[in-house]
Amino acid sequence: MKGQPPAVGTRSAAEALQRALAAEHAAVYGYGVLGARLAGTLRGIAESVWAAHRAQRDRLIAIASGTPVAAAPAYRLPVRPTSARSAAQLAAALEDGLVPAYVGLAGVSSPDLRAFAADGARRAVARSAGWRSRAGAAMPSDAFPGLPDAAVEPRPEPGE
């Protein structure tokens, strides 16, 4: 039914959902930290994305079976935000961290949950690209950022 949370029907789906939730917790924390290094339009963008991550976290909590993984009191951030540029680099790294979690969730059997996960991965990749652009950082060379190499193997041969 449209508007209803997708079903979590298996243990592996529940575990994948918990990983996505843990990644969203980390993103919420990280955006709270990096926002202090931004001003003006960039701060507004970061606040909007922070709110989107909080909403996504809340959706994941609502559809979790069992006890949802709790947020940690603090997280080790991959980039120390000391300027607007490094804050944008941190935002890109946070978004990059969400991609594998959502890709893992996209592998479950529920079509609704797969669509939900694919949308989460797509949004994270798009936000990462935007933050990389703002930071003047290079885009990833991977065709499918967030996917482990094994996920794109074996490579098809021409004519297959």
Side-chain angles (χ1 to χ4, degrees):
M1 177 186 269
K2 190 128 177 105
Q4 295 296 327
V8 179
T10 66
R11 180 181 167 124
S12 62
E15 290 169 356
L17 189 136
Q18 293 284 18
R19 284 190 296 275
L21 176 55
E24 285 291 355
H25 282 314
V28 167
Y29 175 86
Y31 272 92
V33 172
L34 71 85
R37 295 295 179 187
L38 299 173
T41 302
L42 286 181
R43 186 174 193 154
I45 292 168
E47 287 174 352
S48 175
V49 174
W50 180 62
H53 282 298
R54 287 179 23 234
Q56 190 75 340
R57 174 204 60 198
D58 293 347
R59 282 191 220 59
L60 288 165
I61 289 170
I63 61 177
S65 56
T67 304
V69 64
Y75 292 85
R76 177 170 288 177
L77 299 174
V79 176
R80 185 171 168 237
T82 58
S83 66
R85 183 177 180 172
S86 60
Q89 290 169 334
L90 173 57
L94 293 169
E95 298 297 343
D96 290 344
L98 286 162
V99 175
Y102 279 114
V103 167
L105 186 57
V108 303
S109 61
S110 164
D112 291 340
L113 203 50
R114 284 196 317 260
F116 175 83
D119 183 60
R122 180 190 61 79
R123 289 174 189 268
V125 167
R127 286 188 299 255
S128 176
W131 284 115
R132 283 178 191 283
S133 177
R134 289 175 182 94
M139 296 298 164
S141 60
D142 298 342
F144 298 100
L147 283 179
D149 290 339
V152 292
E153 296 290 339
R155 299 180 193 277
E157 295 296 321
E160 283 190 278

